[in-house]
Amino acid sequence: MKMATITAAMVKELREMTDAAMMECKKALVEAEGDMEKAVDVLRTRGLAAVAKKAGRATNEGTVMALVSDDAKVGALVELNCETDFVGMNDKFKAFAEKIARAAIAAKPADLEALKAAELEGETVEAIVTECIHIMGENTQLTRFAVLEGGVVASYIHMGGKMGVLVSFDVDGIDASSAEFAQYGRDVAMQVAAVNPISVSREDVPADVVEHEMGIYKAQAAESGKPEAIQEKIATGRMEKFYKEQCLTEQEFVKDSDQTIASYTAAVAKQLGGSIKVTGFKRFTLGETA
């Protein structure tokens, strides 16, 4: 009897259908003599395809987890998606997301596949996701992650996991473990959540974005029919407004519109007897395109 040829493409297809391990997929295909449906049944029979039944179901709910290392120098954001808000808000589900964030902090992986292969306490992240599926009973997908490093990293979670923010700071001469700095860090992270800046400062705005915006403002000014010198001033003024609205340190502080984030930062630094510089941020909203 001629043995069915099991190709790598067949193994890949079965893995995508079931999320079972590559080797298990290959074994199942051999046993099923290359029949894909029978191979799925083989995996289901072995309890390896709980994912398979649900793989096509939408994962629009879930949680965004923000976690900071014990020394506050590294933070991770993780988006773990599921099918229903009921599961997404469940503490057990969030505990799985937290484990994945801990793995991301420890491994600082280069990409999502590297994170899935990373281990925490002898268990891969991919295995953690599979365990979550079995326990919670819903299709679950690890969608994306981000790692942020700095002198100090602060975090903020909005609406119980609908949004997560990390912000990094360079500090000098300041006790970053103080309650005052913790409140400041949380405030800046909340600012990022509320206003969604595109960069920390105007120097960080990508050159193509600046060129695009300035082109629009110049075209708008040209329509005014005013002299070119006036048009240039109009365009420059609108670009300044763009920076103040889109750059974190220049934005009005949402908790006190009389201050910008830069002036709030300077005031806290003076109060604490040192210097503070905002150096970066990451912001995830549940369900948005990465």
Side-chain angles (χ1 to χ4, degrees), residues 59-63 77-82 100 111-113 115-116 129 140-146 284-290:
T59 54
N60 300 321
E61 299 294 343
T63 193
L77 281 178
V78 165
E79 180 171 350
L80 191 64
N81 295 123
C82 59
I100 295 168
D111 54 34
L112 198 58
E113 289 306 310
L115 175 57
K116 290 177 181 178
V129 174
T140 300
Q141 303 289 334
L142 175 56
T143 310
R144 57 180 172 154
F145 79 100
F284 281 5
T285 300
L286 183 67
E288 72 185 355
T289 302

Side-chain angles (χ1 to χ4, degrees), residues 239-250:
M239 196 70 213
E240 282 294 314
K241 185 173 184 288
F242 171 85
Y243 286 135
K244 286 178 170 58
E245 291 176 347
Q246 300 297 330
C247 300
L248 174 60
T249 53
E250 298 191 35

Side-chain angles (χ1 to χ4, degrees), residues 97-108:
E98 183 175 337
K99 286 177 73 173
I100 295 168
R102 282 169 52 204
I105 286 172
K108 299 172 190 168

Side-chain angles (χ1 to χ4, degrees), residues 9-76:
M10 292 168 66
V11 175
K12 182 175 182 289
E13 182 181 351
L14 183 59
R15 189 184 191 289
E16 288 173 351
M17 288 172 64
T18 65
D19 210 23
M22 285 284 196
M23 190 56 67
E24 295 298 335
C25 289
K26 186 173 181 180
K27 288 178 184 176
L29 281 163
V30 170
E31 186 172 327
E33 298 180 343
D35 187 307
M36 196 65 67
E37 290 185 8
K38 286 182 180 178
V40 171
D41 287 342
V42 168
L43 290 171
R44 290 184 63 187
T45 301
R46 293 176 182 167
L48 298 172
V51 183
K53 283 167 51 176
K54 302 161 184 174
R57 279 148 61 174
T59 54
N60 300 321
E61 299 294 343
T63 193
V64 173
M65 177 60 61
L67 194 68
V68 175
S69 61
D70 291 341
D71 63 5
K73 292 184 181 298
V74 186

Side-chain angles (χ1 to χ4, degrees), residues 4 15 29 60 62 67 83 90 96 110 122 169 255 259:
R15 189 184 191 289
L29 281 163
N60 300 321
L67 194 68
E83 297 172 37
N90 185 284
F96 283 109
F169 308 89
K255 292 175 70 173
Q259 295 188 87

